């Protein structure tokens, strides 16, 4: 499928680029996939590169345990921002509905060569972290209006008024 091809391309980018990190042992890399991800599409992991894999686990716990959430395309990117995690979307030849770069909560990467520098900026740049906190609040206001636990009540009220 088209989604599977995009995911495979993004995974290849992710694996090739993190393999270049000199002090890899300082980080833990985790790749999650949906239950229906076709295993033969998972790229080969170079010798010496440790990547943990999770399929069908509670993705929110994985996001909460991470420093950065990276995806090809997923609504989980939005949820990652809600969970206070910056994001990188790998959009090699694709487009994303939300421009996370403009929103200031992460980066859209269009070329493989951009990934590593953006990742390191998120991990190590204190200015990014400061701006992320400020931009995250705006993002939540824009995309998660009224996070007050009363969504069901509002929906039922709308239904009653139809």
């Amino acid at each position: 499928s088209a989604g599977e091809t995009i995911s495979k391309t993004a995974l290849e980018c992710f694996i090739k680029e993190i393999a270049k990190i000199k002090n890899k042992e300082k980080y833990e890399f985790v790749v999650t996939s949906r239950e229906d991800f076709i295993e033969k599409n998972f790229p080969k992991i170079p010798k010496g590169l440790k990547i943990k894999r999770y399929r069908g686990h509670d993705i929110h716990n994985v996001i909460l345990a991470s420093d950065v959430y990276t995806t090809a395309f997923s609504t989980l990117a939005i949820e990652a921002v809600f969970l206070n995690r910056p994001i990188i979307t790998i959009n090699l030849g694709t487009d994303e509905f939300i421009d996370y770069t403009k929103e200031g909560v992460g980066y859209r990467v269009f070329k493989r060569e951009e990934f590593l520098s953006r990742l390191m900026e998120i991990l190590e740049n204190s200015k990014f972290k400061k701006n992320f906190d400020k931009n995250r609040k705006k993002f939540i206001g824009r995309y998660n209006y009224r996070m007050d636990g009363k969504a069901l009540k509002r929906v039922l009220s709308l239904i009653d008024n139809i």
Side-chain angles (χ1 to χ4, degrees), residues 111-127:
K111 297 178 184 169
R112 186 175 55 82
E113 301 79 24
E114 297 172 333
F115 176 78
L116 194 53
S117 64
R118 293 302 195 187
L119 176 63
M120 299 319 288
E121 180 180 348
I122 289 172
L123 290 172
E124 297 176 353
N125 186 313
S126 60
K127 185 178 177 185

Side-chain angles (χ1 to χ4, degrees), residues 14-29:
F14 177 78
I15 291 169
K16 285 178 183 174
E17 292 304 302
I18 64 170
K20 295 176 184 176
I21 297 174
K22 290 183 179 29
N23 53 348
K24 285 184 272 306
E25 64 283 346
K26 185 176 160 182
Y27 304 101
E28 181 176 39
F29 303 103

Side-chain angles (χ1 to χ4, degrees), residues 63-64 75-87 105 132 136 138-145 147:
I63 291 171
L64 284 168
T75 56
L76 283 170
I78 296 169
E79 294 176 54
V81 176
F82 295 163
L83 293 170
N84 201 26
R85 299 301 181 267
I87 56 163
V105 294
F132 172 80
R136 178 180 170 267
K138 291 178 190 174
F139 184 89
I140 288 172
R142 190 172 296 126
Y143 295 101
N144 199 27
Y145 174 71
M147 200 164 70

Side-chain angles (χ1 to χ4, degrees), residues 89-152:
T89 56
I90 302 173
N91 301 126
L92 310 178
T94 65
D95 206 6
E96 188 74 47
F97 295 109
I98 298 173
D99 186 338
Y100 300 101
T101 303
K102 285 183 184 172
E103 296 287 347
V105 294
Y107 291 107
R108 291 169 70 187
V109 172
F110 295 102
K111 297 178 184 169
R112 186 175 55 82
E113 301 79 24
E114 297 172 333
F115 176 78
L116 194 53
S117 64
R118 293 302 195 187
L119 176 63
M120 299 319 288
E121 180 180 348
I122 289 172
L123 290 172
E124 297 176 353
N125 186 313
S126 60
K127 185 178 177 185
F128 176 88
K129 291 175 184 182
K130 182 180 169 187
N131 288 333
F132 172 80
D133 291 336
K134 177 182 68 173
N135 293 328
R136 178 180 170 267
K137 289 176 183 153
K138 291 178 190 174
F139 184 89
I140 288 172
R142 190 172 296 126
Y143 295 101
N144 199 27
Y145 174 71
R146 282 191 178 174
M147 200 164 70
D148 60 3
K150 297 179 183 176
L152 177 62

